[in-house]
Amino acid sequence: QKQLVESGGGLVQAGASLRLSCTASEDIFNNFDVGWFRQYPGKDREFLGGIKWSGDSTKIATAVKGRFAISRDIAKKTVYLQMNNLKPEDTAVYYCAADENSRRYTSIRVDERSFEFWGQGTQVTVSS
């Protein structure tokens, strides 16, 4: 069964760091690009970054470049979103997602409609 499970959200103060985890089923981890998104109430999901299924490249959105980073642990089949210097405007629900058509593309896609499998989401709240 293809699935993604996020964890690591919570309430932090501005300037703090959080690391979100996305544990994937084996078939997803080995074959699909994984992306991270966040969603504000009433808004579409915003692409934050992603990692290629091969693990050999990552992409970070300009809006969070320099503060957020993506990595993975092969043994744990987990993709991480490291978030540093968090700001109140980072408060949102964070999702990881998988693109089952990854192998057709050399680069990581950024449109949420390209991702077929989604985790349940985890809330991140940053207080000022």
Side-chain angles (χ1 to χ4, degrees), residues 36-48 90-95 112 118 121-124:
W36 282 97
F37 294 78
R38 65 185 175 191
Q39 188 173 30
Y40 300 112
K43 302 290 188 181
D44 291 339
R45 289 167 176 159
E46 173 191 9
F47 176 81
L48 299 174
D90 293 318
T91 296
V93 179
Y94 285 69
Y95 297 90
E112 63 171 309
W118 291 83
T122 186
Q123 176 71 44
V124 171

Side-chain angles (χ1 to χ4, degrees), residues 3 9-10 12-13 21 29 42 52 55 64 82 85 87 105 121 123:
Q3 63 177 1
V12 297
Q13 290 190 328
S21 300
F29 189 85
K52 206 76 181 111
V64 296
Q82 178 67 44
N85 188 25
K87 304 175 181 181
Y105 302 92
Q123 176 71 44

